[in-house]
Amino acid sequence: MPAESLTPTQPLIEILLVEDSEPDVLLTQEAFADARVPNRVHVVRDGVEALRFLRREGEYAGMPRPDVILLDINMPRKSGLEVLAEIKADAALATIPVVMLTTSQSEDDVRGSYARHANGYVVKPVGFENFLQAIRAFEDFWMTFVRFPPRV
């Protein structure tokens, strides 16, 4: 939805999706395209690119600060847990909510995510309809009821 068509009661929610799986990127984009809340999904493919986006470095210099981050754990170059630790250790980024969206059901990953101050941990469901349901549930909670910190 174009930003200029939004009313003051319909803020555009900026979402950063950090995901290396093309099918999961496409599913997530499709699910958010049908969202009731206006949003824009930005996609980066690994942890290094995520930090460059968040710090607005290089080609990401003009990008907006995301309202929420969906972060995979198992990625090339820098894992989601490493990225999460860096985000939460950076005063300029620490207030951005981070939800882990991953295939990992490992108790160590769950514990490690919350120890690094993740705001949620969602295991990606198997199957298209189940995945869409999970994204819609995310939308219902995070994009309808949650108040995000102000963008800096």
Side-chain angles (χ1 to χ4, degrees):
M1 176 176 290
E4 52 276 351
S5 69
L6 302 176
T7 67
T9 59
Q10 283 185 300
L12 180 69
I13 304 297
E14 301 284 356
I15 301 165
L16 176 59
L17 174 62
V18 187
E19 174 62 68
D20 64 321
S21 166
E22 185 63 24
D24 289 349
V25 167
L26 295 173
L27 282 173
T28 305
Q29 288 174 320
E30 183 175 331
F32 280 117
D34 294 334
R36 293 182 302 274
V37 176
N39 67 83
R40 183 169 35 198
V41 178
H42 306 273
V43 178
V44 294
R45 305 299 177 148
D46 64 49
V48 171
E49 291 300 308
L51 292 169
R52 293 187 70 231
F53 182 101
L54 292 166
R55 294 174 178 143
R56 299 178 182 142
E57 296 172 349
E59 69 269 29
Y60 302 113
M63 300 309 284
R65 175 187 171 94
D67 295 300
V68 63
I69 300 167
L70 296 175
L71 181 59
D72 190 15
I73 288 181
N74 300 309
M75 294 182 297
R77 299 204 299 168
K78 188 174 287 242
S79 78
L81 292 176
E82 292 171 302
V83 173
L84 176 61
E86 287 194 44
I87 290 169
K88 296 305 181 177
D90 185 328
L93 304 174
T95 60
I96 302 172
V98 179
V99 177
M100 308 309 284
L101 182 62
T102 181
T103 57
S104 174
Q105 297 187 34
S106 161
E107 289 299 318
D108 288 341
D109 285 342
V110 174
R111 194 175 5 267
S113 295
Y114 285 115
R116 291 169 179 84
H117 307 289
N119 299 90
Y121 192 99
V122 177
V123 176
K124 294 176 194 172
V126 175
F128 177 74
E129 283 303 317
N130 292 335
F131 190 85
L132 287 179
Q133 272 186 320
I135 295 297
R136 288 188 183 120
F138 170 89
E139 174 201 351
D140 286 343
F141 178 72
W142 283 97
M143 297 172 65
T144 305
F145 296 110
V146 171
R147 182 171 176 195
F148 293 107
R151 293 183 190 133
V152 186

